[in-house]
Amino acid sequence: MTKILVLNGPNLNMLGKREPALYGKETLDDVIQGLRERAGTLGVELEHVQSNEEGVLVSQILASREKFDGIILNPAAYTHTSVALRDALQAVTVPCVEVHLTNTAAREEFRHVSLTAGACLGQIMGFGAMGYHLALIGLVQYLKSGRGPG
Ligand code: DQA
């Protein structure tokens, strides 16, 4: 069965409590629960990891090479700073879709640059939790079309 790793970066464990006007009232558990239901309808398996530590996220990406067909990644603040995450994505070549709850292009200037997006298949932002669903649908379609591994 197709296996997808959902990887969430720093402070996303605070969803629901963290700036709800910006990030919504749903908790991360709520978001992942909804995404698991979507995965069920698409016939794929999901594994979810959230970490506040850059090194843990890097290690998860590197280990995904053996275990996963695709990655859905919200690198959160590391989007704008992490050469290490970008290098990890380039090292494994597992297709990755970058997700942001908010439209980072419409926010502070330091959020306009994504160091990680260039190592991804694509990027979805500004649709809140729905972005994870759109990423999953796109990624599964991409894998099915034979344009990727798995
Ligand atoms: C975010 C956007 C980032 O700029 C921010 O640091 C986050 C969340 C988003 O999902 O909108 O933590 O990745």
Side-chain angles (χ1 to χ4, degrees):
M1 196 191 261
T2 300
K3 289 183 81 176
I4 306 293
L5 173 65
V6 181
L7 204 48
N8 277 302
N11 304 309
L12 291 170
N13 55 319
M14 294 295 289
L15 279 186
K17 297 191 191 88
R18 173 194 185 198
E19 300 181 83
L22 203 56
Y23 293 115
K25 286 186 184 139
E26 268 187 297
T27 66
L28 187 58
D29 281 352
D30 294 336
V31 172
I32 297 304
Q33 173 60 31
L35 199 60
R36 284 195 193 288
E37 284 163 25
R38 172 79 61 180
T41 68
L42 294 169
V44 301
E45 217 174 285
L46 276 197
E47 193 169 310
H48 174 242
V49 175
Q50 186 277 330
S51 179
N52 293 324
E53 291 169 39
E54 188 176 13
V56 172
L57 298 167
V58 168
S59 297
Q60 286 287 334
I61 291 169
L62 295 180
S64 72
R65 192 161 162 262
E66 309 293 330
K67 297 197 289 186
F68 294 99
D69 301 293
I71 303 172
I72 293 172
L73 172 67
N74 185 345
Y78 291 135
T79 307
H80 318 299
T81 61
S82 182
V83 176
L85 280 178
R86 184 194 178 104
D87 285 351
L89 290 167
Q90 274 174 334
V92 296
T93 68
V94 176
C96 177
V97 180
E98 180 168 308
V99 171
H100 297 287
L101 295 154
T102 60
N103 177 5
T104 57
R107 298 181 61 193
E108 303 97 320
E109 214 170 317
F110 66 84
R111 296 186 204 274
H112 294 184
V113 171
S114 170
L115 297 189
T116 43
C120 292
L121 194 58
Q123 190 192 39
I124 293 169
M125 58 187 195
F127 292 97
M130 179 53 67
Y132 289 91
H133 293 251
L134 298 173
L136 186 61
I137 292 165
L139 190 52
V140 168
Q141 188 55 44
Y142 173 85
L143 292 169
K144 268 195 193 151
S145 73
R147 286 195 287 153

